[in-house]
Amino acid sequence: MRAVIRRAIGASLLTACLLALTASLGIGVAAAQTTLRMTWYSDGNEGEVMADLLRRFEDKHPDIHVVLDQVPFKAINENLPVQLASGQGPDIARVADMGGLARYMLDLRPYLKDAAYWEANYGPFLQWMRVPGDTSSIPGFMTQLTVTGPFVNKTLFEQAGVAMPGPRATWEDWAKATKEVAAKVQAPFPIAFDRSGHRFFGMAISEGAAVFDDKGNPAVIDDGFKRAAKLIFDWHNSGVMSKELWGSVAGATYRGANEEFKNAQVVMYESGSWQISQFDKTIGAAFDWVAVPTPCGPANCSGMPGGAALVGIKSTKHPEEVARVLDYLASEDVVAEFYARSLFVPGHLGLARKGLDYKDASPVANAALKVFSDGVNQLAPAANQLQGYPASRVILNAVISRLGQAVSGEITLDDSYKRIAGDIEQQLAERNKK
């Protein structure tokens, strides 16, 4: 028995000596490391930029490791909500449907070093991430503020000898001009729109769509909405737009036309500011492209605001570590670098006032960024209201699904209006039951 005790004491002394030795040599004992998962999608190079910033964060905070899971945007829209509903989501995610996913977001406020900084610089956008009635939570920050608007292949206009419409031109002016250009240079797509309810509403609000009634309830189908819907419908029938794009998918499925634009097949592409980075990188000297102000309707010249937020997820087992990562990424110097390298309009009020130096951008990209930044001042109240509406995805999906059916000839345009209203009413009723 005494021998056992002596061996135990000897082992304890040996362990203590080894610990003392490593401490004296400055080796230390490694701290336990927390692994977090971040789900991320990219439009351009921002995934590369985020990976670089996370490496630098880990150098300063070796007790936290962040795994960056890069997925397609479709996975964010379709798969992530299912994961979050089952409690199987990541610790952090980059999301576009902020209102729709707000109930899954973590309130970072109790864990932040300086909540006042977040409120001062991200305040107007925090309400996009909150559930109705919540006026205080801080779920995350905007990785970018986006604005919808058109890109134009200037080279095709020059080859066709057609003058580009001016800054206050109407949608009809652009339809006439692009169709003339396409006919002369044999381009297959005079105008292409992303197949997206969000993109459609930029036009609809300029045509006078109010979207909501005086009490803030959805009232989507009005004269302004119908004017915009008929333009889209007629353009598909007259060849201004091609059914090859919108008709290639069904339901609420998104279909962009960035590949067609990059291949010089599109004269005018209605998309948004998030495309600047990839166009700057991939088009190169193939042709001259420009961003132009959003065309005007009878009501205004508004596009739609939007963007993506990087948020904490409520089901995480490591809320303090999540807050440390987001505190770092949202700090002014770090987020300024992210915006500048990704060529994004800043979703940070302080940086928006100061302006950003996009030193890595070409003159073309810098000019495009200015056009979209100026477009923020043209946004109509209805556009901001729709973006901040918690069930905006219900409206956007119903509109693009049924309008897509009308364009494809499955239903009439008048029938699409009835079905849009019915879909919205039914889906809102289902959401309210939960």
Side-chain angles (χ1 to χ4, degrees):
M1 182 67 179
R2 290 177 181 176
V4 173
I5 293 173
R6 280 197 299 272
R7 285 197 296 271
I9 292 172
S12 298
L13 288 171
L14 179 60
T15 301
C17 289
L18 287 172
L19 289 171
L21 178 62
T22 55
S24 68
L25 293 175
I27 298 173
V29 179
Q33 190 179 63
T34 298
T35 297
L36 303 176
R37 301 200 76 91
M38 179 188 293
T39 299
W40 183 271
Y41 78 92
S42 294
D43 293 306
N45 72 326
E46 66 266 36
E48 301 168 21
V49 178
M50 178 54 64
D52 182 36
L53 296 177
L54 288 175
R55 280 193 294 270
R56 284 151 53 184
F57 169 83
E58 291 177 352
D59 288 343
K60 295 180 179 179
H61 306 86
D63 60 315
I64 299 177
H65 173 54
V66 183
V67 177
L68 186 65
D69 295 316
Q70 300 205 51
V71 300
F73 179 67
K74 184 177 180 180
I76 296 290
N77 257 1
E78 299 177 10
N79 301 344
L80 182 62
V82 176
Q83 292 175 341
L84 296 178
S86 66
Q88 301 299 310
D91 302 281
I92 304 170
R94 187 186 192 206
V95 300
D97 181 15
M98 289 165 266
L101 299 179
R103 62 188 180 277
Y104 302 116
M105 296 180 189
L106 172 70
D107 182 9
L108 303 169
R109 181 182 287 275
Y111 312 104
L112 296 174
K113 290 184 296 186
D114 184 5
Y117 162 81
W118 285 69
E119 290 171 336
N121 291 290
Y122 299 109
F125 316 115
L126 294 176
Q127 57 190 311
W128 294 356
M129 311 173 205
R130 293 169 176 163
V131 297
D134 175 9
T135 59
S136 65
S137 71
I138 301 178
F141 71 95
M142 297 297 289
T143 56
Q144 87 260 49
L145 180 65
T146 62
V147 185
T148 61
F151 296 94
V152 174
N153 187 322
K154 186 179 177 184
T155 297
L156 293 182
F157 269 91
E158 292 170 349
Q159 290 174 347
V162 176
M164 285 175 51
R168 301 287 298 181
T170 65
W171 286 103
E172 290 87 345
D173 293 334
W174 277 102
K176 180 180 178 182
T178 55
K179 191 172 185 184
E180 183 181 355
V181 169
K184 289 185 176 182
V185 301
Q186 300 299 300
F189 308 108
I191 291 180
F193 264 62
D194 287 334
R195 190 182 185 277
S196 157
H198 184 264
R199 244 61 88 228
F200 167 77
F201 267 104
M203 171 191 277
I205 288 169
S206 74
E207 292 294 320
V211 192
F212 300 94
D213 61 23
D214 293 340
K215 296 180 180 178
N217 297 314
V220 174
I221 308 301
D222 58 14
D223 290 343
F225 181 95
K226 290 180 180 180
R227 276 194 295 270
K230 192 167 191 314
L231 278 176
I232 294 289
F233 182 81
D234 289 346
W235 286 351
H236 275 96
N237 288 328
S238 66
V240 173
M241 292 179 71
S242 171
K243 294 182 181 180
E244 180 181 328
L245 298 179
W246 278 32
S248 65
V249 292
T253 302
Y254 172 84
R255 169 66 157 91
N258 46 308
E259 292 299 323
E260 288 78 6
F261 184 77
K262 287 189 290 186
N263 290 322
Q265 297 176 299
V266 180
V267 182
M268 177 180 181
Y269 175 31
E270 172 66 9
S271 191
S273 56
W274 57 92
Q275 302 282 16
I276 294 173
S277 175
Q278 66 158 307
F279 287 167
D280 194 35
K281 184 177 181 180
T282 59
I283 294 175
F287 60 85
D288 291 332
W289 59 276
V290 294
V292 298
T294 294
C296 300
N300 51 59
C301 310
S302 177
M304 271 292 295
L310 191 62
V311 301
I313 301 302
K314 192 183 296 184
S315 59
T316 180
K317 294 180 174 63
H318 309 287
E320 293 183 17
E321 288 81 359
V322 166
R324 284 171 61 193
V325 172
L326 293 177
D327 237 345
Y328 171 81
L329 295 173
S331 61
E332 185 166 313
D333 289 347
V334 175
V335 80
E337 180 182 343
F338 175 81
Y339 293 143
R341 290 174 61 187
S342 302
L343 308 189
F344 284 151
V345 176
H348 180 289
L349 298 183
L351 293 172
R353 285 191 295 269
K354 294 177 185 177
L356 278 178
D357 179 12
Y358 296 99
K359 59 185 177 183
D360 295 330
S362 69
V364 172
N366 264 298
L369 283 160
K370 185 178 188 312
V371 169
F372 282 108
S373 296
D374 291 346
V376 174
N377 297 321
Q378 300 294 323
L379 295 173
N384 286 313
Q385 187 177 7
L386 176 56
Q387 174 60 26
Y389 182 60
S392 62
R393 189 65 55 180
V394 168
I395 296 174
L396 301 178
N397 286 352
V399 166
I400 202 61
S401 177
R402 298 305 187 180
L403 190 55
Q405 285 184 301
V407 163
S408 298
E410 299 174 33
I411 58 177
T412 66
L413 193 56
D414 285 340
D415 196 22
S416 76
Y417 301 150
K418 297 174 186 175
R419 296 193 185 192
I420 288 168
D423 288 349
I424 293 171
E425 182 179 358
Q426 177 186 351
Q427 290 177 44
L428 288 179
E430 290 175 359
R431 284 172 64 102
N432 292 334
K433 287 179 184 178
K434 297 177 182 178

